[in-house]
């Protein structure tokens, strides 16, 4: 008769067997760090998917020929990043990969789709409202004039990652909520013949409100990244003003810095 521990180890075997680790024991880089980086890469590239079980620390140490403290430290590094979770009686489980987004004039939907993150969208607000002063200034419209406001929850693998609010001139294009849930806003702009050319963007951070945290499946006061962007078409006309928040536990902006000649 199989014991519960035997079932647990059997369930984790496919997740571990698909991985090949290259641990350099002569390297000055600590073994725990080598292991954590290789596990993180496997999660980011979808080799280890959300829900995969890796087993407990004893299983992993035997599998990899490492000491239990080394494995524990590697796992804790990824637990702290929100990529793994420890479950009593089950072992270590993959939660999700962190989205790393390059700073380019692209839509979150397109970036997630290109990264194989399985994006989906829920439209939570879609209406025409009088333009607030800051939105009117960003879009070069009269204050109080009509603008379209969109609020969407963006998810990856069924888990919320961002809450997006966008304002657009009301007469810019027709926006269909069903299409907004199946594709990205920038893709719809391009389809309508609007060529995006440039944008001004500001990135920050703050604590989530109770309402934001509930939508993002976070605790009230959890850290969120913020992004405000005004996008312009190829004639210099402002066509969209966005104010977005992202789960800091699941999202990061990726910079490439160059030395100015």
């Amino acid at each position: 008769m199989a014991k519960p521990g035997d079932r647990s180890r059997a369930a984790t075997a496919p997740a571990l067997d698909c991985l090949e680790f290259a641990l350099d024991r002569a390297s000055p880089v600590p073994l725990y760090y080598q292991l954590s980086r290789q596990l993180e890469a496997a999660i980011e590239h979808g080799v280890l998917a959300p829900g995969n079980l890796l087993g407990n620390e004893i299983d992993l140490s035997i599998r990899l020929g490492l000491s239990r403290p080394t494995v524990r430290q590697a796992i804790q590094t990824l637990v702290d990043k929100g990529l793994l979770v420890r479950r009593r009686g089950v072992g270590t489980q993959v939660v999700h990969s962190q989205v790393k987004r390059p700073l380019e004039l692209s839509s979150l939907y397109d970036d997630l789709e290109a990264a194989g993150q399985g994006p989906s969208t829920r439209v939570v607000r879609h209406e025409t409202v009088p333009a607030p002063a800051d939105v009117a200034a960003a879009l070069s419209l009269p204050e109080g004039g009509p603008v379209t406001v969109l609020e969407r929850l963006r998810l990856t693998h069924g888990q919320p990652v961002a809450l997006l609010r966008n304002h657009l001139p009301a007469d810019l294009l027709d926006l269909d909520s069903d299409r907004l849930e199946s594709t990205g806003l920038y893709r719809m702009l391009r389809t309508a013949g609007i060529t995006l050319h440039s944008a001004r963007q500001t990135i920050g951070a703050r604590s989530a409100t109770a309402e934001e945290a509930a939508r993002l499946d976070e605790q009230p006061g959890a850290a969120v990244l913020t992004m405000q962007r005004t996008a312009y078409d190829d004639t210099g006309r402002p066509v969209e003003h966005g104010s977005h928040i992202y789960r800091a536990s699941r999202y990061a902006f990726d910079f490439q810095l160059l030395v100015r000649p």
Side-chain angles (χ1 to χ4, degrees):
M1 180 176 178
K3 299 179 181 179
D6 295 334
R7 289 195 298 269
S8 175
R9 279 186 285 274
T12 66
L16 290 177
D17 289 347
C18 69
L19 299 178
E20 292 187 9
F21 295 94
L23 301 175
D24 185 355
R25 298 172 191 272
S27 170
V29 178
L31 287 171
Y32 88 87
Y33 184 78
Q34 294 183 48
L35 176 58
S36 69
R37 289 296 296 153
Q38 291 180 46
L39 285 170
E40 183 174 357
I43 294 170
E44 288 182 354
H45 291 92
V47 179
L48 291 175
N52 279 165
L53 296 172
L54 302 187
N56 56 42
E57 293 168 1
I58 296 175
D59 293 333
L60 286 171
S61 63
I62 294 172
R63 161 76 163 80
L64 301 174
L66 297 173
S67 69
R68 187 174 178 183
T70 296
V71 171
R72 182 185 303 119
Q73 192 170 4
I75 289 175
Q76 188 61 48
T77 299
L78 300 184
V79 169
D80 293 341
K81 289 185 176 183
L83 302 182
L84 299 177
V85 64
R86 289 186 173 99
R87 301 195 186 281
R88 185 180 298 275
V90 175
T92 304
Q93 188 172 26
V94 178
V95 182
H96 48 63
S97 60
Q98 187 180 54
V99 176
K100 294 183 178 179
R101 185 182 183 188
L103 284 180
E104 299 175 350
L105 182 51
S106 59
S107 76
L108 177 59
Y109 189 96
D110 290 344
D111 289 342
L112 294 175
E113 188 175 63
Q117 291 285 341
S120 59
T121 305
R122 296 176 193 163
V123 175
V124 297
R125 186 184 181 194
H126 180 192
E127 59 182 326
T128 300
V129 300
D134 60 332
V135 172
L139 294 176
S140 298
L141 297 173
E143 184 177 349
V147 293
T148 299
V149 59
L150 305 172
E151 291 187 10
R152 294 162 295 153
L153 188 65
R154 183 61 43 77
L155 307 95
T156 62
H157 304 294
Q159 297 297 317
V161 68
L163 185 60
L164 315 174
R165 178 182 296 141
N166 300 83
H167 288 86
L168 303 93
D171 60 354
L172 184 67
L173 78 165
D174 292 327
L175 292 169
D176 178 82
S177 291
D178 289 339
R179 285 197 63 206
L180 283 166
E181 292 195 342
S182 62
T183 189
L185 175 60
Y186 280 11
R187 192 175 297 179
M188 293 180 69
L189 290 173
R190 292 193 297 269
T191 300
I194 298 168
T195 303
L196 297 173
H197 177 266
S198 60
R200 295 187 62 86
Q201 180 167 288
T202 303
I203 296 172
R206 60 176 173 81
S207 298
T209 67
E211 181 180 356
E212 292 167 345
R215 289 194 182 278
L216 293 172
D217 195 22
E218 289 280 6
Q219 294 296 319
V224 293
L225 298 172
T226 65
M227 187 268 280
Q228 287 195 340
R229 173 192 285 180
T230 302
Y232 304 84
D233 68 8
D234 54 357
T235 70
R237 172 184 58 161
V239 294
E240 176 264 333
H241 179 67
S243 181
H244 306 162
I245 62 171
Y246 305 84
R247 297 174 68 178
S249 62
R250 294 206 56 192
Y251 191 91
F253 291 104
D254 193 22
F255 296 81
Q256 181 178 13
L257 304 178
L258 302 176
V259 175
R260 180 177 296 178

